[in-house]
Amino acid sequence: MTSSSSPSQDTKRLAYAYPEGLRADALMEEDDAWSYEIDGERDGDQFDRSERAALRRVAGLSTELEDVTEVEYRQLRLERVVLVGVWTTGTAQDADNSLAELAALAETAGALVLDGVIQRRDKPDAATYIGSGKAQELRDIVLESGADTVICDGELSPGQLIQLEDVVKVKVIDRTALILDIFAQHAKSREGKAQVALAQMQYMLPRLRGWGQSLSRQMGGGRGGLATRGPGETKIETDRRRIREKMAKMRREIADMKTGREIKRQERRRNKVPSVAIAGYTNAGKSSLLNRLTGAGVLVENALFATLDPTVRRAETPTGRLYTLADTVGFVRHLPHHLVEAFRSTMEEVGDSDLILHVVDGSHPNPEEQLAAVREVIRDVGATDVPEIVVINKADAADPLVLQRLLRVEKRSIAVSARTGRGIEELLGLIDNELPRPSVEIEALVPYTHGKLVARAHTEGEVISEEHTAEGTLLKVRVHEELAADLAPYAPVSAS
């Protein structure tokens, strides 16, 4: 247990107000303005970009009414937040990086980060997360900076939230609530919105609170006379029951949507189309890589969790084999388990794929930590047996020594830049080599009247050689068993 007598000894305060302070920008790539001339060819039309920018909160604007006789008193501004972290393990740099990532999440959610503090403890305090003495010091920081919200870098229990709020006298949220808020802002599809809503209700259920009359019981028994007998529930119990009913309904809806996604996957498997899933840390450049490989036109933005809804596009290897490329939701350290469960049907794209492109930001201060965090989620969704290629993105902005270290440690890895196109051709060749190949090699002389078989050989198999003769098309191909059976009648009869 740490002492609260000297804040300089066990509490590290991060000066976010100064340029040398550790800010969220340290985690992100250089923020260049998107333009059609520079980025349009790579990223497509970016239809979502104008929609995302159509409604933004702007700092410094207010609708304050000077006339005190007015009934309403309004002020429109960004939430002003102070960040709090507890450093229990690892180095001081690890603690700084964790709080910097929390600042990036807060800015993505639309908050203005004013200050940040880190406390060194063996474990978080069971009552107030940082201890009673440090909670009082945090109260002084909140008053000094004029903040209206405190964000803690961890998942707080309901008791910790209540007791810390009682001390600092402003709203307190944790890392999980912040991530859920970002997901709620960025979810667009019906399935994505339902998944986020389910995760929010799972998080909210044990944290419901009542004030004043909200805690009073409904009248029960016979003392109240006619039409007043009730179950004797408190208002908070009624709210919890309603949330459980909504959660059950939401799970049924997500299960129905999962059926439609599974039908599409079964259709791809029936047609023997290999699938590749892009997985990786948030803001590592997954959508940029998808756009570079397929021209999908998926939204690309220098923000955490900019895209949530999975996108599946058809692509072609250099040898002409078709495969699907799926962009998945980004991962982050300590990804809330509510989200992992709610997005499990979406993350199954990773588990059902034939190959995973694990994208990591080569310019990040600690890319190895990103790799470990993503692999933990991949393990949670049961995709550890799927072959993996580590794609070190943003190679144009990365330290060459870091690239060399990653390429040496990760045996199946390649350095690319989705922005400049560096290494993309080599990546396509690597995908071609790693995708599962058809099991049967056959030679067949297909008559010209059966051109559909030749077309199927090109789309479903791997053509080794092709020659047009007077009798038909002489093919030497590697195909799956079903197509091999259809080509077998046209195989040349070998001499006995």
Side-chain angles (χ1 to χ4, degrees), residues 390-439:
V390 176
V391 182
I392 308 167
N393 195 20
K394 306 182 185 179
D396 54 322
D399 185 344
L401 295 178
V402 174
L403 289 181
Q404 292 176 14
R405 185 179 76 234
L406 289 173
L407 291 171
R408 183 176 64 254
V409 173
E410 299 293 339
K411 302 304 180 185
R412 293 154 57 93
S413 60
I414 184 172
V416 305
S417 171
R419 185 171 186 83
T420 65
R422 168 185 168 183
I424 296 299
E425 292 299 324
E426 292 83 353
L427 176 60
L428 288 171
L430 195 56
I431 293 173
D432 195 6
N433 293 332
E434 293 293 335
L435 282 177
R437 296 183 176 277
S439 56

Side-chain angles (χ1 to χ4, degrees), residues 315-486:
E316 189 173 319
T317 66
T319 58
R321 284 197 296 162
L322 293 178
Y323 66 96
T324 60
L325 199 61
D327 183 19
T328 60
V329 63
F331 303 144
V332 73
R333 278 179 301 180
H334 312 303
L335 189 68
H337 66 275
H338 309 297
L339 280 173
V340 175
E341 289 299 319
F343 277 77
R344 186 167 293 275
S345 63
T346 301
M347 294 177 181
E348 285 174 358
E349 293 285 352
V350 177
D352 289 345
S353 62
D354 297 298
L355 179 66
I356 296 175
L357 296 185
H358 185 165
V359 183
V360 60
D361 182 359
S363 63
H364 189 270
N366 194 346
E368 288 87 356
E369 195 170 288
Q370 287 194 351
L371 287 167
V374 173
R375 282 171 176 157
E376 183 179 346
V377 180
I378 290 176
R379 186 166 55 250
D380 289 342
V381 297
T384 53
D385 296 333
V386 182
E388 174 192 72
I389 297 176
V390 176
V391 182
I392 308 167
N393 195 20
K394 306 182 185 179
D396 54 322
D399 185 344
L401 295 178
V402 174
L403 289 181
Q404 292 176 14
R405 185 179 76 234
L406 289 173
L407 291 171
R408 183 176 64 254
V409 173
E410 299 293 339
K411 302 304 180 185
R412 293 154 57 93
S413 60
I414 184 172
V416 305
S417 171
R419 185 171 186 83
T420 65
R422 168 185 168 183
I424 296 299
E425 292 299 324
E426 292 83 353
L427 176 60
L428 288 171
L430 195 56
I431 293 173
D432 195 6
N433 293 332
E434 293 293 335
L435 282 177
R437 296 183 176 277
S439 56
V440 181
E441 186 173 318
I442 188 172
E443 187 173 348
L445 182 62
V446 183
Y448 290 119
T449 54
H450 292 72
K452 287 185 178 180
L453 281 177
V454 178
R456 286 182 60 193
H458 279 276
T459 56
E460 301 177 21
E462 183 180 355
V463 178
I464 301 173
S465 64
E466 181 178 16
E467 181 183 352
H468 298 285
T469 66
E471 292 80 12
T473 303
L474 181 61
L475 289 174
K476 186 176 182 181
V477 293
R478 188 178 286 111
V479 294
H480 52 82
E481 295 179 357
E482 182 181 344
L483 183 54
D486 293 338

Side-chain angles (χ1 to χ4, degrees), residues 110-149:
L112 181 63
V113 179
L114 301 178
D115 209 341
V117 294
I118 295 176
Q119 186 193 7
R120 183 71 172 96
R121 295 180 64 94
D122 295 333
K123 61 180 180 179
D125 182 65
T128 59
Y129 183 65
I130 55 176
S132 57
K134 295 308 172 189
Q136 291 291 343
E137 293 176 16
L138 178 61
R139 171 62 179 162
D140 296 338
I141 295 173
V142 169
L143 287 173
E144 177 188 343
S145 61
D148 48 32
T149 303

Side-chain angles (χ1 to χ4, degrees), residues 214-228:
S214 297
L215 289 173
S216 62
R217 287 189 175 274
Q218 298 180 27
M219 192 172 295
R223 297 178 58 188
L226 295 176
T228 58

